[in-house]
Amino acid sequence: MSVEVEVDENDLAEMVEQVWEAYLDPEGVSPLMQTYDENQPSEVHSSVSITGSWSGHIVYSSSRAAAQRAAAAFLAMELDEVSEEDISDTLGELANIVGGNVKAMLPPGAQLSLPQVVLAPESSARYPNTERISGVYGLWEGEPVSISMWQSSTDTKEEGA
Amino acid sequence: MTPMRAMVIDDSRAMRMILKRIVTKLSFEAVEAGDGKEALDLLADMAEVPELALIDWNMPNMNGLEFVMKARAEPRLREMTLVMVTTESEQSQIVRALAAGAHEYVIKPFTEGAMIEKLALLGLVPTGANS
């Protein structure tokens, strides 16, 4: 089954802004500054899969420093208190929140997986038969952060048929 | 005066910590559970049932909707206020959760202020606790 994706970069950017306001930058002093550079480097990433009316993945990736900063903000800790487990938990929840909100914009019948976290670059991950269709790419206090959508090529082929 | 108690049910430790921080600030004593099954097991061992449960939807073992249905079927747990705290923001999902017996619904991402306002609406904290 395939659907036309109605979640664009503006939608993703709005979600990202809400996440920053709620958890990562409640004071509104360090927003994610968009670079529009989809090739920026990453050191860690997390993802959730969506299946059903749309099939694909939502991937959150960043530098390790940005992940550590996110965990410190999320968990109200000092940077030097943040453990590997804190980083994993935070990255997983960030992917879950963005993925859940993307799912809500899709036609009914989509299901969200539990998050996967890999403390390695996004480029080391393989999402077979997918195509990156949208993303928000930026710098957070100078560190790269991105949120991208990868659609199953089965869906994209059907759409084009 | 006995403090109010809250149970935070979420498979994300990070989200449990955020929710625990908020309810503790509101003078609740908080206990945590990693999924619906663990929550039911903990509740079965408690002498007194918490006044509030904050429940994620997507969890392994027993999801939030199943937990709400089980809690509603258990007379001992009927006084507990059930709030879904989840990314499941589709209208149909909200209707399902409320029909199953949840009292309120909070969509992630939420701000601390929004959560406190919701608990005030439910009469669990004084109105204006956010100010």
PDB file of all heavy atoms in Angstrom, chain B residues 68-89:
ATOM      1  N   VAL B  68      -4.652   0.704  30.371  1.00  0.00           N
ATOM      2  CA  VAL B  68      -5.850   1.458  30.742  1.00  0.00           C
ATOM      3  C   VAL B  68      -7.047   0.513  30.834  1.00  0.00           C
ATOM      4  O   VAL B  68      -7.838   0.572  31.786  1.00  0.00           O
ATOM      5  CB  VAL B  68      -6.111   2.594  29.718  1.00  0.00           C
ATOM      6  CG1 VAL B  68      -7.502   3.188  29.910  1.00  0.00           C
ATOM      7  CG2 VAL B  68      -5.054   3.680  29.856  1.00  0.00           C
ATOM      8  N   MET B  69      -7.177  -0.383  29.873  1.00  0.00           N
ATOM      9  CA  MET B  69      -8.319  -1.300  29.885  1.00  0.00           C
ATOM     10  C   MET B  69      -8.267  -2.232  31.103  1.00  0.00           C
ATOM     11  O   MET B  69      -9.268  -2.471  31.760  1.00  0.00           O
ATOM     12  CB  MET B  69      -8.366  -2.103  28.576  1.00  0.00           C
ATOM     13  CG  MET B  69      -8.746  -1.217  27.382  1.00  0.00           C
ATOM     14  SD  MET B  69      -9.113  -2.108  25.866  1.00  0.00           S
ATOM     15  CE  MET B  69      -7.511  -2.611  25.340  1.00  0.00           C
ATOM     16  N   LYS B  70      -7.065  -2.720  31.422  1.00  0.00           N
ATOM     17  CA  LYS B  70      -6.910  -3.597  32.595  1.00  0.00           C
ATOM     18  C   LYS B  70      -7.204  -2.825  33.874  1.00  0.00           C
ATOM     19  O   LYS B  70      -7.861  -3.341  34.788  1.00  0.00           O
ATOM     20  CB  LYS B  70      -5.475  -4.137  32.665  1.00  0.00           C
ATOM     21  CG  LYS B  70      -5.107  -5.021  31.489  1.00  0.00           C
ATOM     22  CD  LYS B  70      -5.136  -6.460  31.876  1.00  0.00           C
ATOM     23  CE  LYS B  70      -4.632  -7.307  30.720  1.00  0.00           C
ATOM     24  NZ  LYS B  70      -5.032  -8.694  30.825  1.00  0.00           N
ATOM     25  N   ALA B  71      -6.704  -1.603  33.946  1.00  0.00           N
ATOM     26  CA  ALA B  71      -6.902  -0.804  35.164  1.00  0.00           C
ATOM     27  C   ALA B  71      -8.387  -0.500  35.360  1.00  0.00           C
ATOM     28  O   ALA B  71      -8.897  -0.535  36.484  1.00  0.00           O
ATOM     29  CB  ALA B  71      -6.094   0.495  35.080  1.00  0.00           C
ATOM     30  N   ARG B  72      -9.073  -0.212  34.273  1.00  0.00           N
ATOM     31  CA  ARG B  72     -10.498   0.109  34.368  1.00  0.00           C
ATOM     32  C   ARG B  72     -11.332  -1.113  34.765  1.00  0.00           C
ATOM     33  O   ARG B  72     -12.414  -0.989  35.316  1.00  0.00           O
ATOM     34  CB  ARG B  72     -10.992   0.689  33.038  1.00  0.00           C
ATOM     35  CG  ARG B  72     -10.646   2.143  32.893  1.00  0.00           C
ATOM     36  CD  ARG B  72     -11.537   3.002  33.814  1.00  0.00           C
ATOM     37  NE  ARG B  72     -10.970   4.319  34.112  1.00  0.00           N
ATOM     38  CZ  ARG B  72     -10.273   4.629  35.197  1.00  0.00           C
ATOM     39  NH1 ARG B  72     -10.031   3.723  36.130  1.00  0.00           N
ATOM     40  NH2 ARG B  72      -9.812   5.833  35.396  1.00  0.00           N
ATOM     41  N   ALA B  73     -10.816  -2.290  34.451  1.00  0.00           N
ATOM     42  CA  ALA B  73     -11.555  -3.518  34.786  1.00  0.00           C
ATOM     43  C   ALA B  73     -11.304  -3.963  36.230  1.00  0.00           C
ATOM     44  O   ALA B  73     -11.921  -4.908  36.708  1.00  0.00           O
ATOM     45  CB  ALA B  73     -11.145  -4.633  33.825  1.00  0.00           C
ATOM     46  N   GLU B  74     -10.387  -3.289  36.900  1.00  0.00           N
ATOM     47  CA  GLU B  74      -9.999  -3.690  38.249  1.00  0.00           C
ATOM     48  C   GLU B  74     -10.598  -2.703  39.265  1.00  0.00           C
ATOM     49  O   GLU B  74     -10.153  -1.558  39.356  1.00  0.00           O
ATOM     50  CB  GLU B  74      -8.452  -3.693  38.322  1.00  0.00           C
ATOM     51  CG  GLU B  74      -7.840  -3.864  39.675  1.00  0.00           C
ATOM     52  CD  GLU B  74      -8.157  -5.211  40.309  1.00  0.00           C
ATOM     53  OE1 GLU B  74      -7.862  -6.234  39.691  1.00  0.00           O
ATOM     54  OE2 GLU B  74      -8.719  -5.203  41.424  1.00  0.00           O
ATOM     55  N   PRO B  75     -11.595  -3.117  40.043  1.00  0.00           N
ATOM     56  CA  PRO B  75     -12.276  -2.190  40.958  1.00  0.00           C
ATOM     57  C   PRO B  75     -11.323  -1.433  41.880  1.00  0.00           C
ATOM     58  O   PRO B  75     -11.506  -0.244  42.148  1.00  0.00           O
ATOM     59  CB  PRO B  75     -13.210  -3.110  41.759  1.00  0.00           C
ATOM     60  CG  PRO B  75     -13.436  -4.275  40.869  1.00  0.00           C
ATOM     61  CD  PRO B  75     -12.184  -4.458  40.090  1.00  0.00           C
ATOM     62  N   ARG B  76     -10.273  -2.111  42.318  1.00  0.00           N
ATOM     63  CA  ARG B  76      -9.334  -1.478  43.250  1.00  0.00           C
ATOM     64  C   ARG B  76      -8.631  -0.265  42.637  1.00  0.00           C
ATOM     65  O   ARG B  76      -8.184   0.628  43.347  1.00  0.00           O
ATOM     66  CB  ARG B  76      -8.300  -2.550  43.647  1.00  0.00           C
ATOM     67  CG  ARG B  76      -7.297  -2.109  44.667  1.00  0.00           C
ATOM     68  CD  ARG B  76      -6.461  -3.298  45.132  1.00  0.00           C
ATOM     69  NE  ARG B  76      -5.315  -2.804  45.874  1.00  0.00           N
ATOM     70  CZ  ARG B  76      -4.127  -2.595  45.329  1.00  0.00           C
ATOM     71  NH1 ARG B  76      -3.918  -2.871  44.060  1.00  0.00           N
ATOM     72  NH2 ARG B  76      -3.134  -2.125  46.056  1.00  0.00           N
ATOM     73  N   LEU B  77      -8.542  -0.236  41.318  1.00  0.00           N
ATOM     74  CA  LEU B  77      -7.778   0.830  40.651  1.00  0.00           C
ATOM     75  C   LEU B  77      -8.682   1.935  40.085  1.00  0.00           C
ATOM     76  O   LEU B  77      -8.196   2.854  39.429  1.00  0.00           O
ATOM     77  CB  LEU B  77      -6.933   0.247  39.512  1.00  0.00           C
ATOM     78  CG  LEU B  77      -5.960  -0.874  39.892  1.00  0.00           C
ATOM     79  CD1 LEU B  77      -5.197  -1.348  38.664  1.00  0.00           C
ATOM     80  CD2 LEU B  77      -4.986  -0.417  40.978  1.00  0.00           C
ATOM     81  N   ARG B  78      -9.976   1.844  40.368  1.00  0.00           N
ATOM     82  CA  ARG B  78     -10.905   2.751  39.676  1.00  0.00           C
ATOM     83  C   ARG B  78     -10.768   4.213  40.093  1.00  0.00           C
ATOM     84  O   ARG B  78     -11.211   5.104  39.376  1.00  0.00           O
ATOM     85  CB  ARG B  78     -12.349   2.273  39.875  1.00  0.00           C
ATOM     86  CG  ARG B  78     -12.605   1.057  39.008  1.00  0.00           C
ATOM     87  CD  ARG B  78     -14.037   0.890  38.599  1.00  0.00           C
ATOM     88  NE  ARG B  78     -14.140  -0.319  37.779  1.00  0.00           N
ATOM     89  CZ  ARG B  78     -14.941  -1.327  38.037  1.00  0.00           C
ATOM     90  NH1 ARG B  78     -15.738  -1.299  39.068  1.00  0.00           N
ATOM     91  NH2 ARG B  78     -14.954  -2.390  37.239  1.00  0.00           N
ATOM     92  N   GLU B  79     -10.194   4.474  41.257  1.00  0.00           N
ATOM     93  CA  GLU B  79     -10.055   5.872  41.701  1.00  0.00           C
ATOM     94  C   GLU B  79      -8.814   6.544  41.102  1.00  0.00           C
ATOM     95  O   GLU B  79      -8.604   7.729  41.277  1.00  0.00           O
ATOM     96  CB  GLU B  79      -9.978   5.935  43.236  1.00  0.00           C
ATOM     97  CG  GLU B  79     -11.241   5.478  43.942  1.00  0.00           C
ATOM     98  CD  GLU B  79     -12.465   6.274  43.519  1.00  0.00           C
ATOM     99  OE1 GLU B  79     -12.392   7.511  43.530  1.00  0.00           O
ATOM    100  OE2 GLU B  79     -13.488   5.651  43.155  1.00  0.00           O
ATOM    101  N   MET B  80      -7.990   5.760  40.429  1.00  0.00           N
ATOM    102  CA  MET B  80      -6.739   6.302  39.892  1.00  0.00           C
ATOM    103  C   MET B  80      -7.031   7.122  38.627  1.00  0.00           C
ATOM    104  O   MET B  80      -7.715   6.656  37.723  1.00  0.00           O
ATOM    105  CB  MET B  80      -5.798   5.129  39.567  1.00  0.00           C
ATOM    106  CG  MET B  80      -4.383   5.540  39.248  1.00  0.00           C
ATOM    107  SD  MET B  80      -3.221   4.141  39.367  1.00  0.00           S
ATOM    108  CE  MET B  80      -3.892   2.985  38.207  1.00  0.00           C
ATOM    109  N   THR B  81      -6.520   8.355  38.581  1.00  0.00           N
ATOM    110  CA  THR B  81      -6.688   9.184  37.386  1.00  0.00           C
ATOM    111  C   THR B  81      -5.659   8.762  36.343  1.00  0.00           C
ATOM    112  O   THR B  81      -4.460   8.707  36.626  1.00  0.00           O
ATOM    113  CB  THR B  81      -6.506  10.670  37.738  1.00  0.00           C
ATOM    114  OG1 THR B  81      -7.495  11.029  38.704  1.00  0.00           O
ATOM    115  CG2 THR B  81      -6.653  11.548  36.521  1.00  0.00           C
ATOM    116  N   LEU B  82      -6.128   8.462  35.149  1.00  0.00           N
ATOM    117  CA  LEU B  82      -5.259   7.924  34.094  1.00  0.00           C
ATOM    118  C   LEU B  82      -5.044   8.968  33.007  1.00  0.00           C
ATOM    119  O   LEU B  82      -6.005   9.429  32.383  1.00  0.00           O
ATOM    120  CB  LEU B  82      -5.896   6.670  33.481  1.00  0.00           C
ATOM    121  CG  LEU B  82      -6.297   5.557  34.447  1.00  0.00           C
ATOM    122  CD1 LEU B  82      -6.951   4.404  33.682  1.00  0.00           C
ATOM    123  CD2 LEU B  82      -5.091   5.054  35.223  1.00  0.00           C
ATOM    124  N   VAL B  83      -3.802   9.345  32.795  1.00  0.00           N
ATOM    125  CA  VAL B  83      -3.466  10.335  31.767  1.00  0.00           C
ATOM    126  C   VAL B  83      -2.522   9.692  30.760  1.00  0.00           C
ATOM    127  O   VAL B  83      -1.429   9.237  31.127  1.00  0.00           O
ATOM    128  CB  VAL B  83      -2.798  11.585  32.391  1.00  0.00           C
ATOM    129  CG1 VAL B  83      -2.428  12.599  31.310  1.00  0.00           C
ATOM    130  CG2 VAL B  83      -3.715  12.223  33.432  1.00  0.00           C
ATOM    131  N   MET B  84      -2.942   9.642  29.514  1.00  0.00           N
ATOM    132  CA  MET B  84      -2.055   9.134  28.460  1.00  0.00           C
ATOM    133  C   MET B  84      -1.065  10.240  28.088  1.00  0.00           C
ATOM    134  O   MET B  84      -1.472  11.377  27.846  1.00  0.00           O
ATOM    135  CB  MET B  84      -2.854   8.753  27.207  1.00  0.00           C
ATOM    136  CG  MET B  84      -3.896   7.662  27.391  1.00  0.00           C
ATOM    137  SD  MET B  84      -3.219   6.042  27.804  1.00  0.00           S
ATOM    138  CE  MET B  84      -2.492   5.523  26.262  1.00  0.00           C
ATOM    139  N   VAL B  85       0.216   9.898  28.041  1.00  0.00           N
ATOM    140  CA  VAL B  85       1.264  10.856  27.673  1.00  0.00           C
ATOM    141  C   VAL B  85       2.016  10.238  26.508  1.00  0.00           C
ATOM    142  O   VAL B  85       2.825   9.330  26.699  1.00  0.00           O
ATOM    143  CB  VAL B  85       2.227  11.127  28.838  1.00  0.00           C
ATOM    144  CG1 VAL B  85       3.224  12.221  28.472  1.00  0.00           C
ATOM    145  CG2 VAL B  85       1.463  11.513  30.092  1.00  0.00           C
ATOM    146  N   THR B  86       1.745  10.680  25.295  1.00  0.00           N
ATOM    147  CA  THR B  86       2.177   9.877  24.161  1.00  0.00           C
ATOM    148  C   THR B  86       2.325  10.687  22.883  1.00  0.00           C
ATOM    149  O   THR B  86       1.811  11.799  22.781  1.00  0.00           O
ATOM    150  CB  THR B  86       1.135   8.740  23.950  1.00  0.00           C
ATOM    151  OG1 THR B  86       1.409   8.050  22.754  1.00  0.00           O
ATOM    152  CG2 THR B  86      -0.279   9.288  23.871  1.00  0.00           C
ATOM    153  N   THR B  87       3.028  10.128  21.930  1.00  0.00           N
ATOM    154  CA  THR B  87       3.117  10.752  20.604  1.00  0.00           C
ATOM    155  C   THR B  87       1.928  10.353  19.727  1.00  0.00           C
ATOM    156  O   THR B  87       1.788  10.845  18.615  1.00  0.00           O
ATOM    157  CB  THR B  87       4.397  10.312  19.863  1.00  0.00           C
ATOM    158  OG1 THR B  87       4.367   8.903  19.703  1.00  0.00           O
ATOM    159  CG2 THR B  87       5.631  10.708  20.627  1.00  0.00           C
ATOM    160  N   GLU B  88       1.083   9.439  20.205  1.00  0.00           N
ATOM    161  CA  GLU B  88      -0.065   8.963  19.410  1.00  0.00           C
ATOM    162  C   GLU B  88      -1.130  10.055  19.374  1.00  0.00           C
ATOM    163  O   GLU B  88      -2.074  10.043  20.154  1.00  0.00           O
ATOM    164  CB  GLU B  88      -0.646   7.682  20.015  1.00  0.00           C
ATOM    165  CG  GLU B  88       0.302   6.516  20.008  1.00  0.00           C
ATOM    166  CD  GLU B  88       0.367   5.831  18.646  1.00  0.00           C
ATOM    167  OE1 GLU B  88      -0.453   6.145  17.767  1.00  0.00           O
ATOM    168  OE2 GLU B  88       1.257   4.991  18.465  1.00  0.00           O
ATOM    169  N   SER B  89      -0.968  11.001  18.460  1.00  0.00           N
ATOM    170  CA  SER B  89      -1.828  12.184  18.493  1.00  0.00           C
ATOM    171  C   SER B  89      -2.966  12.143  17.479  1.00  0.00           C
ATOM    172  O   SER B  89      -3.677  13.121  17.309  1.00  0.00           O
ATOM    173  CB  SER B  89      -0.984  13.439  18.269  1.00  0.00           C
ATOM    174  OG  SER B  89      -0.239  13.314  17.090  1.00  0.00           O
TER     175      SER B  89
END
